[in-house]
Amino acid sequence: MAYCDPADLPVYGVNATALSPIPALTQQGACDAASAVIDSYFRDRYKLPLVAWGIDVRRAAAVLAVYDLLVTRGYNPSAGSDVNLRLRYEDTLRWLLQVSRQEAQADVTPTQDEAPGYDAPAVVTSSQRGWTTVLGQRHSTKVFA
């Protein structure tokens, strides 16, 4: 499943005019490839496939897809705003690396069979400590006088 589709490319990636000569099938292929790159970063942090994702992941996929499309089509990185394409691409890869290293958080919902708090640390103890879970939050059951 792609994290973005061709309709997202002009919203998060680049002006629609720049993409107009590129066939829709090619644009979809770039979206699929960008999603595969994102999965390669998310694989060690989240259980895949993701059920849902936020604008941050959609935008990252669009930036990667647009860069691949325009590099293939041809662009001049030393002319005008074309240098921004490369900078956005590099910034996106850096963000993905930060997410994979747990230095940044992506807005994702992992698969439904995954336990809540998948990437949160777990505490295991051999004896009861007087803590209980109420509505997903931890509360102490001990009363101190």
Side-chain angles (χ1 to χ4, degrees):
M1 176 179 299
Y3 297 126
C4 72
D5 56 50
D8 294 318
L9 301 182
V11 176
Y12 303 111
V14 71
N15 187 307
T17 307
L19 298 171
S20 61
I22 302 172
L25 189 59
T26 304
Q27 292 182 33
Q28 184 60 55
C31 292
D32 294 341
S35 299
V37 169
I38 290 172
D39 279 348
S40 73
Y41 284 91
F42 284 3
R43 185 167 284 116
D44 291 334
R45 175 129 187 228
Y46 304 110
K47 187 170 180 177
L48 302 175
L50 299 176
V51 173
W53 49 91
I55 291 173
D56 56 350
V57 177
R58 184 174 307 277
R59 180 191 173 279
V63 167
L64 298 178
V66 163
Y67 182 77
D68 283 349
L69 288 167
L70 295 183
V71 166
T72 302
R73 184 199 74 173
Y75 84 109
N76 183 355
S78 63
S81 63
D82 285 355
V83 70
N84 290 330
L85 289 172
R86 179 70 185 179
L87 292 174
R88 292 178 73 206
Y89 174 78
E90 290 172 354
D91 288 345
T92 299
L93 291 179
R94 195 170 13 265
W95 177 75
L96 290 169
L97 185 60
Q98 289 173 334
V99 170
S100 73
R101 292 180 175 169
Q102 297 188 21
E103 297 169 355
Q105 181 68 36
D107 181 12
V108 300
T109 303
T111 58
Q112 293 181 0
D113 64 342
E114 182 179 319
Y118 175 79
D119 70 33
V123 177
V124 180
T125 182
S126 59
S127 61
Q128 181 115 1
R129 303 287 182 189
W131 293 88
T132 185
T133 301
V134 178
L135 299 176
Q137 300 207 356
R138 311 260 311 156
H139 299 279
S140 173
T141 57
K142 292 184 178 181
V143 177
F144 298 98

